[in-house]
Every structure is written in C-alpha cells, then in structure tokens.
Amino acid sequence: MSAFAFHTTAQIIVRPGASGGIAEIAGKKLGRSVLFVTDSGIRNVGLDQSAIRSLEDAGHSVTVFDAVEADPSLDTLMNSVEAARGCGATGVVALGGGSSLDVAKLTALLAGSGEDIDAAWGVGNAKGPRLPLVLIPTTAGTGSEVTPVSIITVGGEEKRGVSSPVILPDTAILDAELTVSLPAPATAATGIDAMVHAIEAYASKNANNNPVSRMLATEALKLLGTHIEAAVFTPDNLEARGAMLLGSTLAGMAFANSPVAAVHALAYPIGGTFHIPHGLSNALVLPQVLRFNAAEAENGSYRLYAELGPHAFADFEAGGGAQEDCAAFIERLAALSANIGLPQRLRDVGIGEEALPKMASDAMKQTRLLVNNPRHVDEADALAIYRAAW
Ligand SMILES: [Zn+2]
C-alpha cells in the first residue's frame, strides 16, 4: 500500500434542524463577534434566521455579510474581509451554497492571518492562522464544508483557487431542513456535481489517491444515486434530502484527499465564460470525458468506472466484463442526468460552436486538475470532447 495523508473537517454534525443549535455546537469556539457570510437569496427566504437567532440568544454579536454572488469575485472576497475587520470578528460562519462557503474560508484566513491573497493562491501556500470557522451548506453538491479549497473568480473570467488544509473549517453542520427549498434544477445539478466528485476521486491519478477516499466515494455514490431522483421530484422528502447532503459531504471528503480531474477542468471554462452553474457545467461534459478516459485501455479507468456501476445504481446489472460495465455505467449517468431534467448539450445552454476553441485553450490552464486525470488531455483532446458535448 502506498503512503498517503488524509485531512478533513474536525467536527461534522448531521441532524435536521441543527443550524438552529449552532451556539451550543460551536459558540464557544466562535467567540464574541461573529461574521455571518451568506447571500441575499437566503436572507430573503429567511433560511439563516434560526442560526442567527441561536447565536444572538447566546450573547454573540452577529454581523451579516450577504453580498456573495454565484462565482464570487475577488472584490466580494475583499469586501467580506473588510466586514470581518470592521466588526472585529472573532469567528466566521457561512450558511449557503459553495460560493458563500468559499468566501468564508478565505475571509477567515485573510482576516485571521493578515496575509496577502496573492501569496495564498495555489496549493499549500496559505499560511494561517485563520479565524474559527463553521460552515453550513444549503446545497448538496460542492462538499466545500470538507474541502481545503476555495475558488474565486478573478478579472471577470479566470477561476483561481487556494488549496490548503489551513482553510478546512473547524465544524461542518449538515442540516437537511435547509435544503428542502432548493429548486429542482439546482438539486439536480448540484447532485450530479457531487456524483462527479465521487467518480473523479475514485479514479484520480493523483499520488494521494487512497483507500479512505475510495471507500468514501463508493458510499457517497450509493447515497447520491439512490436518492437524487427522489430529492428532485419530491423536494420536501427529508430522508432523500438528508441522504443527498451526507452523500455530498462524503464525496467532498473523498476528493479533498484524492483530487478531481478533467471533468472539472473542462467544466470551469463553461462556468467562467457563460456563467453556467458549476454542477450543470460538470453534467454537460461528464459522459464525454468518461468515454474519452475509458477509450484508452492502458490507463485502466474503465475498470474503475465499471466498479462504480453497482454502487451508483442499485439495479445495475454488472457482469458483462469491465468494458461493457464501464459503458453501461456511463450510459446510466447520462440517462440519469436527462431524467432529472438537466440540459444535455452545450448548445442547449446557449454556447455557440465558435466558442469551443477558446474554451479548450482555457481548460488547459486547469493544470492542477488535469494532472489528476487518468488519461493525458491536450488542447486538441479538450476541443474534441467539447465538440462531442456540443
Ligand atoms: Zn464540483
């Protein structure tokens, strides 16, 4: 067995309604003045209210920063850091989707350490210490509550990342009640994103691909594959919502330690240029990237994909041989994505064919992801995959 390291969030609380008990769970750690990071949509529907009330009732002063947008910009991050400094924050809480969680991670880092964001980009460059940090996801998809990564959009299009165990939070609170109001398209897209995290972690060529991540990935796929349709079609099904939320977190734990690859690398230019949600961007290229990987037999990814079939789909009939099982797994994923209502082609989301070469060249910038892919991807490959997905 090869050596590996495994980092994750120290405390994970899984309970419907748990966000309303945040003061009991983490109040001591957070200290007197809490910066509460969220977005205006969540403010408007009041999803943040029970967490804020819990903190205020316990005597914390709470300053809300609710200006986080999808694909958060560097300006937004800096405004959030400013808000943390302004209120003398002793701790940071985020309640929201991956964007709010990502902004909170770097806010806790920059406000806690005073370091410069330009020195923190990349892998292992963030120093810390950060402020105490509690993350509460309201979508079952990104796994950001258990990943050491934060993605920020710089200069309008370019996605930059900070990756360091320093920005793993102290506590993640998985409160399925917060996810029942998530609309069907977002439930579908974020659910597929979580499945992609598990699949890419399982087959990652990264040197730190490890048995703990693979175990988490199969359990995640079981939860996600079994419950995604119920979560989309019966939104207030708390059982399905809880399974999706946990599945998303397990997949996050997996890929945090066995990083994702070309599906994500090719998804980023779709999100960055066309502002397509992250999960949908992944869904749009998922079958094509897996087919590309599996077509080169030497890298062995087809065997790994074949193994995942029965985990993701309870009624999967394995036994046709690894090549056949792999093909069947990819077809099932594509059929699932269509069944839960996601657009299937790049042209369906308003991307013109003439945009594909620029996207392929942008995808090549995602070297930190591409190195994990089971098969080498060059620019011509990326363009061929986009054409197949168009
Ligand atoms: Zn993702």
Side-chain angles (χ1 to χ4, degrees):
M1 195 190 71
S2 37
F4 69 93
F6 194 90
H7 299 271
T8 196
T9 299
Q11 184 187 32
I12 300 173
I13 304 294
V14 184
R15 176 162 49 87
S19 64
I22 183 176
E24 293 75 48
I25 294 166
K28 205 178 263 176
K29 217 172 328 188
L30 287 167
R32 184 188 48 79
S33 177
V34 175
L35 181 76
F36 195 99
V37 179
T38 186
D39 65 61
S40 55
I42 282 176
R43 286 295 275 166
N44 289 341
V45 296
L47 271 188
D48 55 340
Q49 281 312 299
S50 59
I52 289 175
R53 204 175 317 118
S54 165
L55 289 166
E56 287 181 341
D57 287 353
H60 303 264
S61 107
V62 178
T63 302
V64 176
F65 178 81
D66 66 358
V68 179
E69 74 280 37
D71 301 310
S73 68
L74 188 55
D75 283 349
T76 297
L77 169 62
M78 288 311 164
N79 291 337
S80 173
V81 173
E82 209 42 58
R85 291 193 176 126
C87 71
T90 53
V92 178
V93 173
L95 186 146
S99 300
S100 291
L101 272 48
D102 279 10
V103 167
K105 285 165 156 175
L106 290 182
T107 299
L109 174 75
L110 301 181
S113 67
E115 67 199 273
D116 193 89
I117 185 66
D118 284 323
W121 299 124
V123 178
N125 295 326
K127 301 284 178 294
R130 57 154 175 78
L131 295 175
L133 179 62
V134 177
L135 301 182
I136 311 172
T138 58
T139 62
T142 68
S144 183
E145 66 280 2
V146 288
T147 70
V149 179
S150 172
I151 305 290
I152 300 293
T153 302
V154 179
E157 280 191 11
E158 191 195 345
K159 302 269 187 173
R160 277 199 212 162
V162 171
S163 175
S164 163
V166 173
I167 59 172
L168 276 169
D170 299 290
T171 300
I173 297 177
L174 307 187
D175 176 355
E177 286 177 5
L178 298 176
T179 67
V180 297
S181 56
L182 194 67
T187 302
T190 53
I192 293 285
D193 183 34
M195 294 181 80
V196 175
H197 295 156
I199 295 164
E200 293 211 285
Y202 192 82
S204 180
K205 213 183 73 180
N206 189 280
N208 203 61
N209 186 336
N210 65 85
V212 184
S213 284
R214 293 195 293 277
M215 184 180 72
L216 289 162
T218 57
E219 188 64 24
L221 274 182
K222 199 183 295 175
L223 287 163
L224 297 163
T226 306
H227 293 95
I228 188 167
E229 284 160 312
V232 170
F233 297 124
T234 54
D236 54 0
N237 181 335
L238 202 57
E239 174 78 23
R241 293 293 193 175
M244 293 301 291
L245 193 53
L246 180 59
S248 160
T249 298
L250 298 184
M253 293 166 78
F255 91 83
N257 297 281
S258 180
V260 293
V263 179
H264 274 73
L266 270 68
Y268 277 124
I270 303 174
T273 310
F274 296 95
H275 301 286
I276 306 293
H278 173 75
L280 177 54
S281 301
N282 275 288
L284 286 165
V285 294
L286 171 63
Q288 290 78 11
V289 173
L290 297 193
R291 281 187 203 116
F292 169 82
N293 290 345
E296 180 197 72
E298 304 87 83
N299 70 59
S301 59
Y302 73 94
R303 283 202 191 86
L304 302 174
Y305 299 149
E307 287 168 13
L308 292 177
H311 292 288
F313 302 102
D315 59 350
F316 190 87
E317 288 182 22
Q323 294 279 15
E324 288 76 5
D325 288 355
C326 167
F329 174 60
I330 297 169
E331 292 319 309
R332 286 292 298 265
L333 287 169
L336 173 66
S337 165
N339 185 42
I340 57 180
L342 293 175
Q344 295 301 297
R345 310 207 60 87
L346 294 174
R347 70 181 81 176
D348 298 340
V349 296
I351 296 177
E353 196 173 11
E354 70 289 349
L356 304 184
K358 166 83 166 36
M359 286 159 56
S361 124
D362 286 351
M364 289 300 105
K365 292 180 192 154
Q366 300 294 334
T367 47
R368 88 184 159 89
L369 303 174
L370 290 170
V371 294
N372 304 318
N373 199 55
R375 178 175 176 184
H376 177 74
V377 186
D378 64 22
E379 194 169 330
D381 297 328
L383 183 56
I385 292 169
Y386 283 136
R387 289 202 195 287
W390 189 77

